[in-house]
Amino acid sequence: MLMRAHPNVLQALVALAAGLAQAASLAWPGNGAPLWWLQLASLAVLAWLLRPGAGRALAWRRGALIGGLFAMAWLAGTLWWLFISMHVYGGLPAPLAVAAVLGLAAFMASFYATAAGLFCHLAPGGTLSAALLFAALWLLAELVRGNLWTGLPWGAGGYAHVDGPLSPLARWGGVYGVGAVAAGVAMLAAQARRAHLRSRRAWALVLAGGALLAAAALARHCALGACDTTPRPEPVLSLALLQGNIPQDEKFQPGGGVAVALEWYADALRNAKADLVVTPETALPLVPGRLPPGYLDGLRQHYAQGSQAALLGIPLNDAQGYSNSVLGLSPGMALYRYDKHHLVPFGEFIPPFFKWFMALLRIPLGDFGRGAVVQAPFEWAGQRIAPNICYEDLFGEELGARFADPAWAPTVFVNFSNIAWFGNTVAIDQHLHISRMRALEFERPMVRATNTGATAIIDYRGRVTHQLARHTRGVLTGTVQGRGFDAHSGSAITPYAWWVSRWGLWPLWILGAVVLAIAAAAQRGLARRTRRSACMP
């Protein structure tokens, strides 16, 4: 009755509910687990709304609206914790903080609205061709979101699949490739649901989808080591990951969080027994010139002898300005430095035309300098350790650029983060799964040292092997085995690492554009044939 009376309202409500389900699939609010099946189901609902019958699609305006509502609910439901950083720690009035989150979600949702509208305008009659077109448009929308204005790909649909049967595809196509395949499977599922259960087409779609998921599940079974019994010659590295749990509202207070951080991290750095000791992002919250006299020199002397090394998160300043950096201390080696390349808009630099907005916030901010995309790894204990800071691990194409030169190809990634800006929220779980996806893409371990969580060790298969309880102060100890250059078979890197290090994301852009161009050409041909038949007597 409601569908007959108010079909537009009901479609909108279903789209909003499906979008929220997609947000929950990235990290279930109850336990933080990713739910691959929920991501597929929520996207299948969107596909079902856009293509309500075999060979039919919504009018493009209605399709754009439905797609936009789905994406806005998904993105607002994924990034709601930005409210905490802006309101609780930034002092922005709550109504303005809510408006900012919704405005950001609406802006990014416009990419998916465009994709949905194009799908409805170009939707072919064929089942497989419709699935390919939907997958290509979804891929292009994700790429636009991940690259426009420095990009914000947090919450891409593929992250829900780190534990799912599609996860082996990450080594071939990265998170965007996984997301595109998921979109295609969702469209196939939606069309199978629309087909008559006794029809051959319905059974063909069910069998095709089942075969795809079964093959992916077998590939995942092998990826988790069941099919690989070859011993790995890479050395094992013992780790001590420090989690200071300094409250964000005290972190930069000279008589509070600063004093606590300097004392606790200094003690932990001196007492740790591991091969490598790692602190979180800006664990030392002052530039070297403002540290207590002899503080940094004392740490350098401690690590100048023995068999240990340390990586310290610290802001640096020089003639070029400020940088969010990592310093490496080790015996017999010069001081190592890594500078963050991919800066956070509104956090580490102010985008053009937004100084008025930043004036409303009480967030300590300087326009930080950028490091190079590819910087030398920290070489220690037979490993090439590649740092990345905070949300730099969202950008797999930038981490992948480090594999272009086999001499610099990482054997271990280390992420330095501070998610205290977002409280004890699902943001911690979402970021953990982002790091797990990078491990799957490159088949390299990802080590995470964070201020409040998730401090963890992730092996090259994307599995969390060690994790410290969030929002506690402590030291996580464990071991990690790197993956590196194989002198017998050449550079032991994944297909994704190989092509993304040479061409970036251009192959995916081209693939999506080619499918879209073919669909547009087919639509024009159909329109011409329709016009000719209409003119015939």
Side-chain angles (χ1 to χ4, degrees):
M1 179 67 71
L2 183 61
M3 176 63 93
R4 293 196 199 98
H6 305 286
N8 294 348
V9 173
L10 185 57
Q11 284 179 339
L13 292 176
V14 171
L16 289 170
L20 290 175
Q22 169 119 321
S25 75
L26 298 168
W28 185 251
N31 57 13
L35 302 177
W36 63 270
W37 56 267
L38 184 59
Q39 196 273 338
L40 282 178
S42 62
L43 202 52
V45 170
L46 173 62
W48 177 76
L49 291 171
L50 296 177
R51 195 175 174 87
R56 298 191 298 112
L58 294 182
W60 72 266
R61 289 184 179 86
R62 174 96 54 94
L65 175 62
I66 293 299
L69 290 173
F70 172 91
M72 186 168 178
W74 157 35
L75 296 170
T78 299
L79 301 171
W80 65 268
W81 36 261
L82 290 172
F83 172 87
I84 296 174
S85 62
M86 290 187 285
H87 174 61
V88 176
Y89 299 120
L92 193 68
L96 289 179
V98 170
V101 173
L102 293 179
L104 176 63
F107 171 70
M108 295 189 296
S110 66
F111 311 144
Y112 301 91
T114 301
L118 280 172
F119 174 79
C120 292
H121 179 64
L122 301 173
T127 299
L128 292 178
S129 55
L132 286 173
L133 177 60
F134 187 67
L137 288 167
W138 186 266
L139 171 63
L140 291 173
E142 294 270 57
L143 288 172
V144 171
R145 178 161 76 97
N147 288 271
L148 185 66
W149 291 348
T150 79
L152 183 57
W154 192 293
Y159 288 116
H161 294 270
V162 290
D163 289 326
L166 297 182
S167 61
L169 300 178
R171 73 186 308 272
W172 297 91
V175 67
Y176 295 122
V178 172
V181 171
V185 171
M187 179 56 73
L188 287 174
Q191 293 179 102
R193 175 65 182 85
R194 283 295 187 183
H196 193 280
L197 290 180
R198 293 183 180 179
S199 70
R200 292 182 179 179
R201 186 170 68 87
W203 282 109
L205 291 174
V206 170
L207 291 175
L212 177 61
L213 291 178
L218 177 60
R220 173 168 171 76
H221 181 66
C222 289
L224 292 177
C227 304
D228 183 8
T229 59
T230 305
R232 298 291 174 185
E234 290 86 352
V236 174
L237 184 70
S238 63
L239 299 168
L241 311 178
L242 313 186
Q243 182 174 286
N245 195 37
I246 308 299
Q248 190 58 46
D249 54 357
E250 300 176 11
K251 184 175 175 64
F252 298 102
Q253 298 298 321
V258 170
V260 172
L262 294 181
E263 179 181 1
W264 188 82
Y265 281 114
D267 289 342
L269 283 162
R270 290 189 173 95
N271 293 330
K273 304 302 181 184
D275 297 331
L276 180 66
V277 188
V278 186
T279 77
E281 175 188 17
T282 60
L284 308 184
L286 303 176
V287 296
R290 296 185 59 190
L291 289 171
Y295 184 93
L296 191 56
D297 286 340
L299 292 177
R300 292 186 65 178
Q301 291 173 8
H302 177 80
Y303 285 94
Q305 52 192 348
S307 57
Q308 291 181 284
L311 290 170
L312 314 178
I314 183 173
L316 298 177
N317 65 321
D318 52 28
Q320 283 70 45
Y322 290 89
S323 62
N324 189 350
S325 301
V326 170
L327 288 181
L329 312 178
S330 58
M333 296 173 60
L335 189 69
Y336 172 83
R337 173 173 174 173
Y338 172 84
D339 296 329
K340 187 176 182 180
H341 166 74
H342 206 119
L343 304 180
V344 180
F346 305 107
E348 292 166 325
F349 77 97
I350 304 175
F353 312 115
F354 279 94
K355 288 189 176 182
W356 64 272
F357 179 75
M358 296 308 299
L360 299 174
L361 299 175
R362 297 194 304 267
I363 294 178
L365 171 71
D367 271 339
F368 284 77
R370 299 175 187 270
V373 175
V374 178
Q375 301 177 52
F378 180 66
E379 299 194 37
W380 177 249
Q383 306 286 350
R384 292 187 293 271
I385 300 164
N388 57 90
I389 299 176
C390 193
Y391 95 145
E392 279 191 310
D393 67 345
L394 266 78
F395 302 91
E397 66 275 17
E398 294 180 359
L399 299 191
R402 308 181 191 192
F403 289 88
D405 183 354
W408 277 12
T411 61
V412 177
F413 285 108
V414 179
N415 178 262
F416 302 75
S417 288
N418 175 29
I419 307 295
W421 285 105
F422 312 120
N424 190 9
T425 67
V426 74
I428 295 175
D429 302 299
Q430 292 170 353
H431 200 192
L432 176 64
H433 302 324
I434 288 167
S435 292
R436 294 179 62 201
M437 179 59 73
R438 298 291 88 80
L440 287 170
E441 289 173 345
F442 300 112
E443 293 184 353
R444 295 292 189 271
M446 176 72 81
V447 175
R448 293 173 46 84
T450 71
N451 180 24
T452 57
T455 296
I457 300 173
I458 303 167
D459 70 12
Y460 75 94
R461 301 182 182 102
R463 299 181 302 186
V464 177
T465 60
H466 306 74
Q467 186 172 355
L468 195 63
R470 66 180 63 185
H471 283 265
T472 59
R473 183 170 297 161
V475 180
L476 178 66
T477 59
T479 61
V480 68
Q481 187 174 35
R483 303 263 291 183
F485 185 78
D486 188 335
H488 299 290
S489 60
S491 185
I493 64 174
T494 63
Y496 175 75
W498 184 88
W499 63 258
V500 85
S501 66
R502 288 160 174 79
W503 306 308
L505 295 175
W506 279 109
L508 295 180
W509 282 103
I510 293 170
L511 179 62
V514 167
V515 174
L516 180 58
I518 292 173
Q523 178 69 14
R524 286 195 299 269
L526 177 62
R528 285 195 298 269
R529 290 193 298 272
T530 302
R531 286 195 299 269
R532 284 199 299 268
S533 63
C535 295
M536 292 177 64

